[in-house]
Amino acid sequence: MKQLVCITLIIGLLLPIAHSTYAYSDTNPALYNFYDSYMRKGPKEAEHYIAKGVKIPKVTEKTRIVRFQGLPAAHKKDTRIMIAYFEDGKIDIDRIAFIWRVTFNKKEVTHIEELYNGSEPNVKKEK
């Protein structure tokens, strides 16, 4: 009986994660392809998923980006606020790499606005 309860809990916890990932990539394929490519291969490869004339903001720090978080933009269905986090090496402490407002359609990212750049904050403070 305990095993059945444990299995049910595990399935209940994992099913929403798998479903949201699938739904996210299904409803926003251009955005999913953009950030997946950015995470796996870097900004140069992510350029394949942006419209002509759109520039990806530069991240000058060489620290690895470990995750993205996408938040809906107010009243705009085709816009997301993307927050990226640097690998900090400390447990449960994330440092924001950047915050971008990304506009997209089903085929490509059509606009990227940099709202915050957290690259090398110590260097910026010294200047």
Side-chain angles (χ1 to χ4, degrees):
M1 184 66 176
K2 289 182 182 179
Q3 289 177 338
L4 182 60
V5 171
C6 287
I7 291 171
T8 304
L9 285 173
I10 290 171
I11 291 172
L13 291 173
L14 294 179
L15 190 58
I17 294 169
H19 179 69
S20 66
T21 302
Y22 174 75
Y24 184 75
S25 63
D26 239 13
T27 57
N28 304 322
L31 187 59
Y32 173 80
N33 291 335
F34 171 74
Y35 95 79
D36 186 55
S37 181
Y38 192 97
M39 287 290 293
R40 292 177 189 260
K41 299 175 184 171
K44 197 72 174 163
E45 286 296 316
E47 288 177 357
H48 291 97
Y49 302 102
I50 61 174
K52 191 173 184 176
V54 175
K55 301 287 185 204
I56 298 175
K58 293 213 183 282
V59 178
T60 57
E61 189 167 332
K62 300 299 181 204
T63 306
R64 187 169 78 100
I65 294 173
V66 291
R67 70 182 172 102
F68 272 93
Q69 180 180 12
L71 304 170
H75 308 293
K76 293 186 179 182
K77 183 179 174 185
D78 63 345
T79 303
R80 302 280 290 182
I81 303 299
M82 301 300 293
I83 304 171
Y85 297 89
F86 284 126
E87 179 178 55
D88 202 4
K90 299 176 185 175
I91 298 174
D92 294 332
I93 298 175
D94 291 324
R95 186 164 61 91
I96 295 176
F98 55 79
I99 301 173
W100 294 342
R101 180 180 294 130
V102 180
T103 306
F104 56 92
N105 58 33
K106 287 192 181 243
K107 294 182 180 183
E108 59 197 1
V109 171
T110 57
H111 183 73
I112 302 173
E113 179 185 354
E114 184 177 56
L115 303 176
Y116 172 78
N117 184 345
S119 295
E120 302 179 24
N122 295 331
V123 174
K124 289 180 182 179
K125 286 179 185 176
E126 291 174 9
K127 290 183 180 181

